[in-house]
Amino acid sequence: IFAIKQRLFATGHFRGNMDDYFDVSLKEAVKAIQKEAGLFVYGVADITTQTIINNLALEAEITVDSQFDAAYEYVMSNIK
């Protein structure tokens, strides 16, 4: 689950909690990927969806932005 969240975050498809729970925000991100790929949209990260996510991550140009990460963590820790 965490690896899927990492890949979706890196490709700009996920901005939820980075933990190992399959939560509502991850389900919605998976649905969005399935819709973009023309797959059946049901929010389960089956093997076909995981392959699509992996391919997107491999194709993505990933830039590490430590300032963004720090700001994101700060904002998320202060939302109640």
Side-chain angles (χ1 to χ4, degrees), residues 6-59:
Q6 285 179 318
R7 286 167 178 77
L8 290 173
F9 182 85
T11 60
H13 290 90
F14 180 76
R15 292 289 182 238
N17 291 328
M18 296 301 289
D19 53 26
D20 59 351
Y21 295 103
F22 199 101
D23 53 19
V24 174
S25 57
L26 179 57
K27 184 175 184 173
E28 294 305 314
V30 169
K31 283 181 174 181
I33 290 293
Q34 290 168 331
K35 184 176 182 180
E36 287 176 21
L39 301 174
F40 178 72
V41 178
Y42 69 119
V44 175
D46 58 23
I47 192 66
T48 304
T49 304
Q50 289 179 45
T51 301
I52 300 279
I53 292 168
N54 285 336
N55 290 340
L56 286 172
L58 289 172
E59 295 170 1

